[in-house]
Structures are given as structure tokens and as C-alpha cells.
Amino acid sequence: MRTILAIAETGSLTRAAELLHVVQPALSRQLRQLEEELGTPLFERNRLGMVLTVPGRRFVDQVRVSLQGLYQAKADIGAAAANLMGSVSIGMLPGLATRLAGPLVLSLRRQYPELKVRIATGFTDFLQDSLEHGKLDICLMGDYLQSELLHTSPVFREPLYVVGLPSSGLSPATPVDLADVAKMPLVVPEAESLRNVIDRACTIIGVDLNLVAESDNTAVLLELVERGVGFTILPVMPIIAMLTAKRLVGAPIITPPLRRTIIVCSPVINRNPHTVKALHAELVDLLKPIVLGFADAGVEWLAQDA
């Protein structure tokens, strides 16, 4: 079932083989045997890759339901175990890792001393690619490209601020229209998920950003702002310490309002659902008091209580 779902979602035998960590000839043989057993082709092979036939689409719909039931059954059985063992890889955005990685590892070590934890940091495009290729088990990331290979659930949403020198007069109490922000000299983030939020909003209102410089490093962007190169646009949580210290000032962006949603994400094809379920709960539990502490800055908690 995992084989068929992987081929259907990737549209490629090669990509599906990489995802499942098997050699392509073995994958082709499994598919051929299943099609012979069912008496009908599940895929058409054309220049676009592996495309589901009508019977194939019906079969894959049932496979998704069956796999979900299987994973839940495994999770229920595994929940009886008192301990988690083995290794797990957790991905986070850099700004979140600064606040969360330490408490998370300490909590997991205390509860599950035989579990080995690996923390990876990066932007959403890197994290999503790592999840889909089986390099990560779970992650916290921003807006992502829709993928049926992943389970996702929202955790919190935070406003984006325009940030500048204290002399600029920006204030959290006085939101700024995006059209006015676009006219400012801007040093902007290259992180794909964050940049997509900004660019989509600019497209909606029909403006172009006055770009001066770009960087994929938040510290670099803030240094450029402090040196007077221009303003930047960033989520409020990673910059709140600098705003509180008055090193820089900022204001939320409106018309339209710019917000980033953080989600917790794990692969549909998951070989250890019990561990991932426990990690999901742990991440949410650790994040909730942190996020609620930023409510005055406009950060909203979205996760459903267990």
C-alpha cells in the first residue's frame, strides 16, 4: 500500500523508490505483481510520468483510508509501551529552534532516556523536502507547498512587522499599510515560505517592493537595518527582544494584514507513528506557554487542545 501511494503522490518510480528507500527494480516488480493480481493497470506511463488510471484513482483512495487505519492501530498498540527508543529527527525554523530546541531535548531525555534526538534547522522549503525524502520525522515550519505526502496541523499564527531604526517612528500601536511599506528601501528575507506571504500580498494590492538587499539570514537582515541600509519585514516573535530593548522599532503591516502560520508536519508514510504522535504532543505542549506570552504582540494560538 505504501508503494502505490508513494508512486501516486510522486508520479515517478525513481522518486518513490528514493522515498521508500528501496531499489527501483523492486518497486517496479511490486507494482507489476499488484496490477496482475487486480487484473487492471493502475498507472499510465507517459511523458508526465506515472499517471493514475480511473481504477487506479479508486484504488488509491481506498489505500489512503486503509493506511490511516493501519497507522492508528500501530499507534494504539505502541501506546502501551512505557518508553520510546531508537532515534528521531526533528526539524525547526531557526528562530523557533533558538527558543525551543533546548527545552524539547531536555524534556524528551527526561521522559524517554533511550530515545536519541537529532535537531535540524532550516527554512520551510528545506524542511518540507527533508520530510518528503524521509530525512525528518516531524517538523515545525511555515507556509508550505500543498502535498498529500504530509500530515499538517496549525499551531500558531503571528503578524509580520516592518522593522526600522528608532528614528523611523514605527510603533506597534500604529499599523502600517503594505502599500506604504513597499515604498520604503527594504532588505527582505529570501526564505521561500516567508517571501511567498509577502509577495502574494503585494500581488493582491498591485505593488512592487523597493528592494535594496536580500538575505536568508535573519541576523544579517537586522544588522543591515541597524546600519541604516533600509527596513525589513519579519515575523514578530524572533525580533521581540530587539524591539523591547529599543535597538529597533517595528509596526504590524495591514491592508492586507501580513501573517505567518506555523504548522507541525509529519509524513503520511511514517514507520513510527507512536513516536511521531508523542513528539507532536510534546512540541505543542512546549510551544503553548511560549506563544501565549506573545498574545499582546498579536500572536494567536491555533492548535486544538488534546
Side-chain angles (χ1 to χ4, degrees), residues 173-191:
T174 308
V176 182
D177 288 346
L178 178 58
D180 293 329
V181 174
K183 299 173 185 175
M184 302 174 180
L186 292 168
V187 292
V188 295
E190 287 184 317

Side-chain angles (χ1 to χ4, degrees), residues 27-247:
L27 201 69
S28 300
R29 185 167 58 253
Q30 289 178 18
L31 174 59
R32 184 171 61 254
Q33 290 172 344
L34 181 59
E35 289 180 327
E36 290 173 355
E37 181 180 342
L38 295 174
T40 185
L42 299 177
F43 295 90
E44 294 177 351
R45 292 124 173 112
N46 60 30
R47 61 184 180 82
L48 299 177
M50 304 290 287
V51 180
L52 284 166
T53 61
V54 172
R57 285 197 297 270
R58 290 200 299 266
F59 186 74
V60 165
D61 287 342
Q62 291 300 316
V63 163
R64 288 197 181 98
V65 174
S66 299
L67 272 178
Q68 193 61 42
L70 174 62
Y71 292 147
Q72 186 59 52
K74 289 175 66 177
D76 291 342
I77 292 171
N83 199 12
L84 299 182
M85 296 180 291
S87 61
V88 65
S89 294
I90 305 168
M92 299 183 198
L93 295 168
L96 287 176
T98 302
R99 297 292 301 271
L100 196 61
L104 176 65
V105 172
L106 287 172
S107 179
L108 291 174
R109 290 291 297 161
R110 183 174 61 252
Q111 296 179 72
Y112 315 111
E114 296 183 48
L115 183 67
K116 297 178 181 177
V117 181
R118 171 179 172 263
I119 302 293
T121 63
F123 295 111
T124 291
D125 50 349
F126 164 78
L127 295 175
Q128 180 169 350
D129 185 70
S130 297
L131 278 173
E132 293 180 346
H133 284 83
K135 298 175 183 177
L136 293 175
D137 297 296
I138 192 169
C139 74
L140 287 164
M141 63 188 197
D143 287 5
Y144 70 109
L145 298 176
Q146 293 291 331
S147 171
E148 293 186 358
L149 294 173
L150 304 176
H151 285 307
T152 64
S153 59
V155 182
F156 67 89
R157 180 166 52 231
E158 60 181 323
L160 301 190
Y161 273 40
V162 56
V163 181
L165 292 170
S167 59
S168 66
L170 294 171
S171 167
T174 308
V176 182
D177 288 346
L178 178 58
D180 293 329
V181 174
K183 299 173 185 175
M184 302 174 180
L186 292 168
V187 292
V188 295
E190 287 184 317
E192 186 173 344
S193 62
L194 190 56
R195 189 63 175 272
N196 285 344
V197 173
I198 299 169
D199 289 345
R200 282 198 301 266
C202 288
T203 299
I204 289 171
I205 66 171
V207 299
D208 294 319
L209 299 177
N210 179 17
L211 297 180
V212 175
E214 300 174 275
S215 176
D216 62 358
N217 188 300
T218 300
V220 170
L221 294 173
L222 293 172
E223 181 183 357
L224 291 173
V225 173
E226 287 192 288
R227 289 178 177 273
V229 175
F231 297 79
T232 192
I233 300 173
L234 289 170
V236 67
M237 284 178 59
I239 61 171
I240 199 70
M242 295 191 77
L243 299 183
T244 302
K246 306 295 185 184
R247 288 175 56 187

